[in-house]
Amino acid sequence: MNIALLQDGRLLFIMLLAATVSMLTTLNIAARPAAIRTRQVALSLSVSAVFFMFTRFANLFYLPILGTYVDKAVLSGNVDLLYQQIQWVVLGSALGAFFSWLMLPTFTALYERGISGITSRGSMLKMLLGLPSIRGIKALIGCLRSPLELKDWISAPTTNSAEQANTALHTNTVATEQPAALGKTESSAASNISVKFALPWDILCWNVFATAVWTVGALAALHVSASYPSLEATSVLLSGLVNSFAAVAFSLFVDPKAAVITDQAVSGQRPQQHVLAMSFHLGLGNFIGGLFGLLTFPVAIRMISWAVEKLGQAKMNENMWLVIGLNVLVYCLTCTSFSSRISAVMTRSVATALAIYNVFFLITRLTGQVYAPILGAVRDSIVKGESTAAQLLPLFRWVIAGSTMGALLGWLLMPTFVQIFNTAIDALQRRKGSMATLLKDLLNPVHWFSILRCWRAPSNFGVIWKDLHSLPKGFLWANVFVIGVHVIGVLAAIQAGAELTGSLSRTATLLSSVINGVATILASVIVDPTAAKITDEAVSGKRSLHEVETMALLLCIGAVAGTAFSQLLFVPSVKIIVFGAQILGMLF
């Protein structure tokens, strides 16, 4: 690595932003210790989305700024220099992960404080508005912890017998009733024998791999776009081809087992110290994975280059119905998040329910990573041909209509999805938290009938109009707007890139975060925390299951309305992205 490149102040600024993205992403790990300490799992994991929100904003800045280096590489033909500059950005991400690992005790305390604030004030928005006060600042300062506390996370006694320590993850018990009583039973049975918790090596290895791949995904795509300037939109949007490998590894091999450990700690089936030890190792693994990203970077470049060449040879604008069909699937599966809330209450396994939902989310993400580059290829072929950017508009209108059809299908399938979640939660816990084993078993035709038995007729869960009064109204309306904005994020960025010329075209495509960032803010601050709070209240007995069913149904109906509303938001969003690209062009 050429250290002389660090004389470039702008590159140092990009490294700082990349470190911030990595730091805040890694610190989501602190949500699990906070979950077992507060016993509000859904709310804890929802609060972690706030940190994810900040990473989206950091990406909004540093990827488009890095895009100016790509433009210079295209003009000068010096792609090797770009490679060296991106290496430093990867190193910045690794350093951010290291800092976040040291700060795990502090951020766990921040999570606990935030959860307490949300519970007392009733919403995350009210809690955040109270932070600028003197009392709020003192509360934040009081959350500071020494990194030396990390040694206590792995050194304290963790279980009452060697056998339990080795087999706790493999329990077949599903904590569906009286979790507090289970905790008391385990506590009374504890002995003086102490054994350290050994986190399964497969979780550690897959976490390192997933982090390495995630670190270089978008950066490799930018590098490839310099090598294929005529296919820049296709190249940039193919970052998902690499990031999808990280999503697969994390959703199948890391998150499900971590969720089972968390649920067992909350229910008392294993000591809380196990979650602390797990978080310690996962945080350290993220730092190691960031460094490993330097080795995976050239591999990611080759993969994306191959995909760009294949898509560049295909006439993707003749296969728009395939894209529309994929969008139907994406938004149908997106609605499964609402069904997971119902199953979480019915089974009392909140973290496991969310982990299984992540598999559905993984499928939607993979599908989205397929159709986004296809849309980019359509844009590139139109720009190269005699057509104009205006001819993209009616095509994209049909893609948006596909999201409405998908949300409507998800609404009709809600009872079926609830039963699928219930069955999957029980099956995952019986398979020792191994999502890979569960999916492998599903390939056996013997188990197909059990899936078919999950079919349920469409239902409104007995929800009537007066049930609406038991729920906050603000987050229901916000959900409509969030979905509407999210639908057109990538589409609007591609359209804006087609309407611009020169270096601003790539910048506009990267600025999809401008639109999706707004959706992330509202979802993280208003929608998800409120839904999580209602879920936790139902698990603890403060609300009824019917109230959660009402919430899930109304959120799903809001998704249908939101996707339809996105038709109105599309053109204004394109104009916002065009304006943002022009501002960045003047600044950098």
Side-chain angles (χ1 to χ4, degrees):
M1 296 176 66
N2 186 1
I3 197 170
L5 294 176
L6 295 182
Q7 297 176 5
D8 184 351
R10 190 189 306 177
L11 181 60
L12 289 173
F13 179 62
I14 294 173
M15 289 179 62
L16 177 62
L17 290 176
T20 302
V21 171
S22 180
M23 181 187 72
L24 295 177
T25 302
T26 301
L27 285 170
N28 287 329
I29 295 172
R32 296 197 182 277
I36 56 107
R37 288 176 174 176
T38 63
R39 293 190 175 273
Q40 298 191 66
V41 181
L43 186 55
S44 299
L45 297 179
S46 180
V47 171
S48 70
V50 174
F51 292 108
F52 181 78
M53 173 187 70
F54 286 114
T55 67
R56 298 303 92 195
F57 273 107
N59 270 328
L60 163 65
F61 287 104
Y62 95 79
L63 286 179
I65 296 173
L66 189 58
T68 61
Y69 286 90
V70 180
D71 296 330
K72 290 181 179 179
V74 172
L75 294 175
S76 65
N78 191 356
V79 181
D80 290 337
L81 177 61
L82 176 65
Y83 186 95
Q84 297 176 44
Q85 291 167 331
I86 293 179
Q87 281 184 312
W88 282 108
V89 177
V90 174
L91 181 60
S93 295
L95 294 176
F98 178 72
F99 180 75
S100 67
W101 174 59
L102 296 179
M103 293 289 289
L104 274 176
T106 294
F107 271 78
T108 299
L110 284 173
Y111 272 118
E112 294 178 48
R113 176 71 66 174
I115 292 167
S116 175
I118 294 172
T119 303
S120 61
R121 294 175 181 266
S123 73
M124 181 178 289
L125 183 59
K126 292 181 180 179
M127 185 271 292
L128 292 176
L129 291 176
L131 290 180
S133 65
I134 295 178
R135 182 179 178 182
I137 294 174
K138 287 182 177 180
L140 293 177
I141 295 176
C143 292
L144 291 175
R145 300 289 186 272
S146 170
L148 295 177
E149 290 187 13
L150 285 173
K151 67 180 182 180
D152 298 328
W153 288 34
I154 58 173
S155 62
T158 59
T159 189
N160 60 316
S161 69
E163 181 180 358
Q164 185 181 352
N166 292 325
T167 62
L169 182 59
H170 308 316
T171 181
N172 293 333
T173 304
V174 180
T176 57
E177 295 181 359
Q178 299 179 336
L182 285 171
K184 292 178 181 178
T185 302
E186 287 293 320
S187 177
S188 62
S191 69
N192 294 326
I193 301 176
S194 64
V195 179
K196 288 186 178 180
F197 170 53
L199 186 68
W201 273 102
D202 57 341
I203 294 182
L204 298 176
C205 294
W206 281 112
N207 182 60
V208 170
F209 171 77
T211 303
V213 174
W214 176 87
T215 300
V216 300
L219 298 174
L222 281 176
H223 185 275
V224 172
S225 71
S227 302
Y228 297 88
S230 63
L231 296 170
E232 62 181 41
T234 308
S235 302
V236 169
L237 293 170
L238 268 169
S239 61
L241 180 67
V242 177
N243 288 339
S244 61
F245 285 98
V248 168
F250 190 81
S251 297
L252 295 185
F253 305 112
V254 180
D255 192 51
K257 290 188 177 181
V260 170
I261 290 172
T262 303
D263 278 333
Q264 289 175 348
V266 170
S267 65
Q269 298 176 57
R270 63 164 65 239
Q272 295 183 2
Q273 186 69 26
H274 285 190
V275 178
L276 297 179
M278 174 185 68
S279 301
F280 173 92
H281 288 97
L282 291 179
L284 180 60
N286 281 4
F287 167 58
I288 298 173
L291 293 177
F292 190 57
L294 292 171
L295 299 178
T296 59
F297 183 47
V299 179
I301 290 175
R302 285 194 288 270
M303 291 180 60
I304 294 178
S305 297
W306 175 83
V308 167
E309 292 175 356
K310 294 300 180 182
L311 284 174
Q313 296 170 2
K315 296 181 179 180
M316 301 312 302
N317 56 333
E318 298 177 0
N319 297 282
M320 287 302 297
W321 286 110
L322 171 63
V323 180
I324 295 171
L326 290 174
N327 216 27
V328 171
L329 175 62
V330 166
Y331 283 91
C332 175
L333 295 179
T334 297
C335 291
T336 59
S337 64
F338 312 131
S339 303
S340 70
R341 302 287 183 185
I342 300 176
S343 292
V345 176
M346 295 176 69
T347 63
R348 297 296 195 271
S349 297
V350 181
T352 305
L354 294 178
I356 294 173
Y357 161 69
N358 285 337
V359 175
F360 286 92
F361 176 75
L362 168 65
I363 297 173
T364 65
R365 182 170 181 173
L366 289 174
T367 307
Q369 302 310 337
V370 171
Y371 87 80
I374 292 176
L375 291 173
V378 171
R379 176 262 188 193
D380 288 333
S381 63
I382 286 179
V383 171
K384 287 189 299 184
E386 298 179 357
S387 303
T388 63
Q391 292 184 267
L392 279 175
L393 189 60
L395 297 177
F396 287 173
R397 293 287 189 190
W398 276 106
V399 175
I400 296 172
S403 65
T404 303
M405 290 184 283
L408 181 60
L409 182 61
W411 177 12
L412 297 176
L413 291 175
M414 274 193 73
T416 299
F417 281 133
V418 170
Q419 187 58 38
I420 289 174
F421 270 103
N422 291 344
T423 303
I425 289 170
D426 177 68
L428 184 62
Q429 301 228 14
R430 285 188 285 106
R431 287 166 174 79
K432 311 166 188 177
S434 175
M435 186 68 71
T437 302
L438 175 60
L439 295 179
K440 183 180 70 174
D441 290 344
L442 288 178
L443 297 178
N444 188 338
V446 174
H447 299 286
W448 292 355
F449 183 70
S450 61
I451 300 177
L452 295 176
R453 285 188 299 179
C454 293
W455 162 258
R456 297 292 185 273
S459 169
N460 66 351
F461 297 97
V463 175
I464 58 178
W465 181 255
K466 70 176 183 179
D467 292 332
L468 178 62
H469 300 299
S470 64
L471 301 173
K473 309 300 186 299
F475 91 110
L476 296 175
W477 286 110
N479 177 62
V480 175
F481 185 73
V482 165
I483 296 293
V485 171
H486 186 268
V487 167
I488 44 84
V490 174
L491 294 170
I494 296 174
Q495 179 72 32
E499 294 181 3
L500 293 170
T501 58
S503 62
L504 291 180
S505 178
R506 182 184 290 103
T507 302
T509 304
L510 287 167
L511 278 173
S512 61
S513 300
V514 174
I515 301 299
N516 288 337
V518 175
T520 303
I521 290 175
L522 292 176
S524 300
V525 175
I526 301 177
V527 182
D528 290 341
T530 305
K533 181 173 179 290
I534 292 172
T535 303
D536 281 330
E537 289 174 346
V539 171
S540 63
K542 297 177 182 178
R543 285 181 180 268
S544 65
L545 172 63
H546 185 66
E547 289 179 275
V548 177
E549 292 173 336
T550 302
M551 175 191 71
L553 181 68
L554 293 175
L555 288 174
C556 197
I557 294 175
V560 177
T563 55
F565 179 55
S566 62
Q567 296 281 4
L568 300 177
L569 294 175
F570 183 58
V571 173
S573 299
V574 172
K575 293 180 179 179
I576 291 173
I577 292 179
V578 168
F579 177 73
Q582 292 171 340
I583 293 296
L584 282 177
M586 289 187 293
L587 291 176
F588 299 100

